[in-house]
Amino acid sequence: EISTMASTLSSLSHSLLWAIFALLSISPYVASQGLQPYDCIDPQNPGLTSRVEIGQNTTVCLYTGPDGDWNSNIQYKRFSVNLIADEFANYKVPGSYSAIVGGNFFNGNATQIFAASQSALSFQRRYYDATTNFIFPYLTIIVDVVDGVVRGIAWDDACVFCEKKQCLPNTYNFDGTDATSEQASQPTNGCYLTKAICEGFLATGSDACDLKLYVVWTGTDVNGNVLKSSDSRFSAFPPNRIQEQVVGSYDSMMSEVQNFGQDVKDKLNSVGNFFKGE
């Protein structure tokens, strides 16, 4: 726990972050298979968002909740957003790091997330592991569409952000068990950041560790047009370029905290070789 760094944020700003998270969250639901479906369309305009058309709104939902068996009763929160189909997009939940990691919002050992669009669901990913204090912030989904109907949602390769040894298994079934790459037919590992690093970003005003979902599409829209935004996914670029950006943001944060107390700098210096895999 790096309380010194967290204290650099004023109590007012911390309260505001919690308020934003709460306002963006709909009230908790009790999930029960067959009784509370995870279907994701815009209830205000179901006709438009029930089919994917290039350049038009399409709805994507982000579900968050504790680890465990999601086929039984479980408390979760859902965030819904309309995005422009086939435009590389992202959806960020402001204040989510402070609420989930700092406040243990779901009172569990871990916080899981998954994405939905129409009736398709992704596998689950872990955003925060309270046991290891690891945060997995690199979350990109590839929405697979056939003639406007979402047939599946896969996770992009999240190992491009770090050295291989720092990329850990991070894909789960809805019963809480690990999902293998063979079972999921998609990348199942992801890079993590330590809580110490995320607290450094938070102390400098960065939202680098907030919950953020990137979205791209592949396949064909309702008019048979080819969806091309998946060409812009992170894994389509050389890993060294992606890792240079990650290290650059870390170096910038480390530069800013040089004006902080020595105890803060010492804790961050202890992970100074993190991005080199040492």
Side-chain angles (χ1 to χ4, degrees):
E1 188 77 14
I2 307 182
S3 57
T4 307
M5 298 180 65
S7 67
T8 61
L9 294 174
S10 69
S11 58
L12 175 60
S13 62
H14 190 270
S15 298
L16 286 174
L17 290 173
W18 268 85
I20 293 171
F21 183 84
L23 286 171
L24 287 173
S25 306
I26 64 174
S27 299
Y29 288 87
V30 177
S32 180
Q33 196 172 35
L35 298 177
Q36 180 63 52
Y38 298 119
D39 286 3
C40 176
I41 60 173
D42 184 352
Q44 303 300 319
N45 201 347
L48 177 63
T49 59
S50 61
R51 292 293 183 269
V52 175
E53 181 177 359
I54 293 176
Q56 301 299 317
N57 280 344
T58 185
T59 307
V60 173
C61 297
L62 176 64
Y63 291 82
T64 64
D67 60 334
D69 186 356
W70 280 61
N71 295 319
S72 60
N73 290 344
I74 197 168
Q75 296 289 321
Y76 68 86
K77 287 186 177 291
R78 181 180 67 190
F79 304 89
S80 302
V81 61
N82 282 335
L83 302 173
I84 302 300
D86 209 31
E87 290 187 4
F88 181 81
N90 70 78
Y91 177 54
K92 180 175 62 181
V93 184
S96 49
Y97 173 81
S98 292
I100 294 173
V101 180
N104 194 13
F105 194 86
F106 294 105
N107 298 314
N109 294 322
T111 296
Q112 309 287 96
I113 65 99
F114 69 92
S117 186
Q118 296 179 12
S119 295
L121 310 178
S122 72
F123 282 86
Q124 292 191 2
R125 284 271 168 113
R126 182 159 292 178
Y127 165 66
Y128 172 55
D129 189 319
T131 303
T132 61
N133 276 327
F134 289 168
I135 294 89
F136 296 84
Y138 306 114
L139 303 166
T140 301
I141 57 169
I142 304 170
V143 183
D144 186 19
V145 185
V146 178
D147 296 332
V149 179
V150 179
R151 298 299 189 187
I153 300 176
W155 290 104
D156 189 25
D157 183 5
C159 288
V160 298
F161 296 90
C162 64
E163 297 289 337
K164 184 177 181 180
K165 67 174 66 175
Q166 292 166 324
C167 197
L168 305 179
N170 189 34
T171 304
Y172 301 87
N173 297 300
F174 277 73
D175 62 3
T177 60
D178 294 348
T180 65
S181 57
E182 292 77 18
Q183 173 193 4
S185 299
Q186 60 188 272
T188 55
N189 289 10
C191 297
Y192 67 91
L193 295 178
T194 65
K195 187 177 180 181
I197 291 174
C198 284
E199 291 291 336
F201 280 121
L202 181 65
T204 59
S206 170
D207 60 3
C209 293
D210 269 346
L211 183 57
K212 181 186 294 184
L213 181 71
Y214 290 90
V215 185
V216 297
W217 288 262
T218 188
T220 54
D221 78 349
V222 68
N223 299 313
N225 298 313
V226 176
L227 300 161
K228 301 178 180 179
S229 58
S230 62
D231 293 341
S232 300
R233 69 192 187 279
F234 290 107
S235 66
F237 297 91
N240 63 310
R241 288 179 53 189
I242 303 298
Q243 291 170 26
E244 285 174 1
Q245 294 181 13
V246 173
V247 174
S249 65
Y250 170 76
D251 289 343
S252 177
M253 179 268 288
M254 287 293 291
S255 178
E256 287 190 53
V257 301
Q258 292 309 306
N259 294 324
F260 292 11
Q262 188 60 46
D263 59 331
V264 172
K265 291 185 285 187
D266 287 344
K267 290 174 182 177
L268 279 170
N269 286 334
S270 70
V271 293
N273 293 324
F274 177 81
F275 292 105
K276 297 180 182 179
E278 299 175 1

